[in-house]
Amino acid sequence: MAVDAATSTHARHAAGRLADFTADARVLTLTAMSIGVGAVSAVVAYLLVWLIGVITNLAFYHRLSSAFVSPSDNRLGAWEILVPVAGGLAIGLMARYGSERIRGHGIPEAMEAILIGRSRIEPKVAVLKPISSAVSIGTGGPFGAEGPIIMTGGAFGSIFAQCFALTAAERKTLLVAGAAAGMSAIFAAPVSAVLLAVELLLFEWKPRSFIPVATASAVAALLRGPLLGPGPVFPLAPHAPLPWQGLVAGAGVGVIAGLASGALTGLVYGFEDLFKRLPIHWMWWPAIGGLLIGVGGLWHPRALGVGYDTIRLLLQGRLGGQALLGLLITKALIWALSLGSGTSGGVLAPLLIVGGALGALEAHWIPFGAPGVWALISMGAVMGGTMRSPFTAIVFLVELTHDVNLLTGLLIASVASDAVTVLLLKRSILTEKVARRGHHVVREYTISPIERVFVHEVMDPAPVTVPAEMAVGALVSRLGRHDPSLGRHQAWPIVDSSGRLVGIITRGDLLAAAEQDEAEEKSVLEAGTASPVVAYPDELLADAIARMVRRQIGRLPVVSRDAPHRLVGYLGRTDIIEAWQRHLEEEHVREQGAFPLRGTLLRAGLRRFLPRRRTRALGRLVLRRGARWRRSRLARTDDARPDGGRRRPPSGRHLPPRRERRR
């Protein structure tokens, strides 16, 4: 009863101090800063689109215009091959003599800056990344503008944050705010931009970061109207909701999209490995990739450039036949190859084209739903599976088209695709790049056990104490006799004659005192630490650990908050490990349920619904059939062996035939 009363008291104290979130008024400062970051990112997005249009018109149509046009209608003929080569050469030069960080599709570089670089991005990256991406896309590169604008917007957010006295976590918030704002401005998709930030870049779910990021995304979406025009980017007339058969077909589309996502990821990094084997400097790789882009563009011109017009045709169901197959193969190959060469460009638009072409092809075998329906669903599934961001993909396609009726089909297909890639691939197309640079990215967000465990749940409630007047020699003598009560901990609280906590002494303190003269006559209070750092039973274990880390100590006496000198427990490293042990047990220890998983699941189910005699008979029948199949398989294998079927056991000695062993 006393333990229950103490626990109830601790719970009341904790309820009055703790909250669901740790945000404070500092979030208002970051939100105000994020408004400026969102506005700047929207302007940068406009400049990037303008620059892509200028370079496309100059390179393919030899005219000075900023109109956003597709390079597929050019009249250059075979000379078209040289345009991507020139663009790749320019990117290689900028990467070698400017910054190597401009290589790639932007999102892995932003993730690396957040995880490794303390959210600091160099100013030259903010300048060179959009220029190199505009050159790559404008000269026919099969990329999207979203990856570069995410990196560029993030770079401007980081540079802005570096002008103020902010923590690394606050710089990360503004970096991600710039990245989300850039994506929001390009696609008029503010909600999915915030989801992308949460699923890929923030590595946390806290109001201190979510509110500023959402604010920046909303500001950029507001400015998109006067800068780039209102959304949606690909408006569609709402389709009829899918029947239950269509939802089942959506699951199949998702599985195929997951397999395609794995193939695309393998293609990108397979080509990257091939380029690394070339005996030339990586500066020349984008030019080689540009040559192959030009060849692919001759075969299928719609594979060149961003391809927003192609996405629109796929969603409208106006592409079919051999054009779909050619688009799917060409776009996938030249995109994976050029991205593997280290050029600069994004991944979202190519994934939409590949997924849309795949879905439109699958529509020929699905008896309900227009081709545009399955193109849209497959777009979301391929994007969600390849990037492993299913929620972003679902909302992104809805914001692009405003077709809410297909939301359930998108959910099923995207989750199915994500499940396939999670089970088949160790890393996504984004985290693989970071892993190849020697860093590991964990995409699973869980609540740490130390964030939900109180100190009183893991502390030692009856620690061994030593009196303040005890001599050091006496304590050393007890340790020398291997006193079991002292051997449990590495330190001991010191109490006075009335039991009040006055200090703590560690084994290290004893060793230091032993090296001094007259050490045995010195009291433990003189050798130890008076007024020690303490913990409270009603505080979270995470707060106590943070105090230990800041003070560089390995244990804390636990005292009552109402009576600071009344010792109620002891918190050491072993107690902290116990909290993690509980977490591991919750994750890995299976408990007995109504349907135990021992043996085969089939046997467990049959025992529930069939009499025991029939279950045993059916089990024997299955075993006999399996044994007969194995014997026939061994016989076929032995007939093909040159030694006449005589098998040698692992030990090296010959065993008699099966019949002789039975006798």
Side-chain angles (χ1 to χ4, degrees), residues 107 110-111 114-115 150 172 175-176 179-180 196-204 445:
I107 299 179
M111 297 172 70
I114 292 169
L115 294 173
I150 286 175
K172 176 189 70 174
L175 185 156
V176 178
L196 180 76
V198 172
E199 289 191 298
L200 289 178
L201 299 176
L202 281 177
F203 299 99
E204 65 181 19
Y445 301 155

Side-chain angles (χ1 to χ4, degrees), residues 425-498:
L425 301 177
K426 292 182 178 179
R427 288 176 285 270
S428 71
I429 195 172
L430 306 177
T431 56
E432 178 67 24
K433 174 73 72 174
V434 182
R436 289 180 172 226
R437 293 172 178 168
H439 310 294
H440 179 57
V441 180
V442 178
R443 295 282 307 279
E444 296 180 343
Y445 301 155
T446 59
I447 299 177
S448 172
I450 64 175
E451 295 282 356
R452 52 188 175 92
V453 174
F454 290 99
V455 169
H456 70 83
E457 297 181 58
V458 296
M459 70 180 186
D460 182 357
V464 176
T465 60
V466 295
E469 62 274 8
M470 175 182 283
V472 171
L475 182 57
V476 172
S477 176
R478 289 181 62 184
L479 286 173
R481 294 196 303 269
H482 302 288
D483 190 334
S485 62
L486 295 179
R488 294 176 57 191
H489 300 306
Q490 298 296 314
W492 303 272
I494 304 173
V495 297
D496 59 12
S497 57
S498 60

Side-chain angles (χ1 to χ4, degrees), residues 60 327 448 539 622 649:
F60 287 97
L327 176 64
S448 172
E539 70 177 342
V622 172

